[in-house]
Amino acid sequence: MTRRVVVALLTPVTWSPPGVDLGAWRGALAEDVVDLLARLAQAEPAIAATAADLALAREIAWPGMPIYEVSSPTVLPVFAAAEKDGFEQAAVLAADAADVPGMILGKLLRPLSGKPVAVAPSGVGGGVVAVAANLPVPGWLADTDLDSASPMSLRRTAPQPSLVESTPEWRRLRGPADLATLDPALEGWENTRALLGG
């Protein structure tokens, strides 16, 4: 059976709802993502963080959950850490996608049976929710952060654009417009929900 890991990458968060402390908001978003990963059936969970964010990573990690220290909050250092840990496939997920359903992650991992790279866009506001790859990653895959990446930018360095599969998009919570799209009926995101007042 293929060893897969989905890694929550602690990316910079520059916005929080009015009246909500930025640090508390960032922690709640990341904790909700990590809680989802801990319950995934199709992959193992992990967290990746730069040295500055290791304290937050330790605070939100479940017992025994790997924490990878990376040199930058970008995809290639996370993939390298996952490969070193013995995984054959990995996905790097933005830690500000608090309400992302497991189904979105399943659809991101599925194309890796035939394609080397898959990407889930984040819709409004640009960037991506996650990037997944077979390990070791192909040499043509350029390093990128999740805020500036897009399916098009990831395909730009590929020998053939079809080598990068685009999967269903999901939102990241990066501004008021994203907040307005939250569905209270959707399961999960308890910590974020609590900060928003239920």
Side-chain angles (χ1 to χ4, degrees):
M1 198 167 119
T2 303
R3 281 197 74 208
R4 299 183 183 93
V5 63
V6 180
V7 186
L9 175 59
L10 297 180
T11 51
V13 172
T14 58
W15 173 88
S16 64
V20 178
D21 175 76
L22 183 62
W25 176 247
R26 186 185 189 208
L29 296 175
E31 190 166 2
D32 282 338
V33 169
V34 167
D35 288 352
L36 166 76
L37 297 189
R39 296 190 291 264
L40 278 183
Q42 66 263 51
E44 295 178 47
I47 302 172
T50 60
D53 284 331
L54 286 177
L56 174 59
R58 293 188 191 103
E59 187 181 315
I60 62 176
W62 284 42
M65 187 178 285
I67 297 173
Y68 302 134
E69 182 178 352
V70 291
S71 55
S72 63
T74 53
V75 298
L76 288 189
V78 182
F79 286 140
E83 182 187 353
K84 191 175 177 184
D85 212 10
F87 289 101
E88 299 160 83
Q89 294 179 347
V92 183
L93 172 67
D96 57 9
D99 67 336
V100 65
M103 177 184 68
I104 292 289
L105 300 177
K107 289 182 175 180
L108 176 74
L109 292 166
R110 195 168 299 127
L112 296 182
S113 58
K115 303 281 180 79
V117 177
V119 56
S122 63
V124 179
V128 299
V129 174
V131 179
N134 285 301
L135 304 177
V137 295
W140 49 260
L141 183 65
D143 196 20
T144 183
D145 62 70
L146 300 176
D147 290 340
S148 59
S150 68
M152 191 178 297
S153 71
L154 292 170
R155 289 181 178 123
R156 201 167 290 136
T157 53
Q160 298 169 283
S162 62
L163 293 174
V164 178
E165 181 77 19
S166 188
T167 67
E169 66 182 46
W170 194 258
R171 62 179 156 260
R172 294 169 58 188
L173 299 179
R174 293 180 288 176
D178 302 310
L179 205 58
T181 64
L182 282 170
D183 180 358
L186 200 63
E187 287 184 18
W189 61 284
E190 283 86 2
N191 299 287
T192 304
R193 197 188 307 256
L195 273 188
L196 294 172

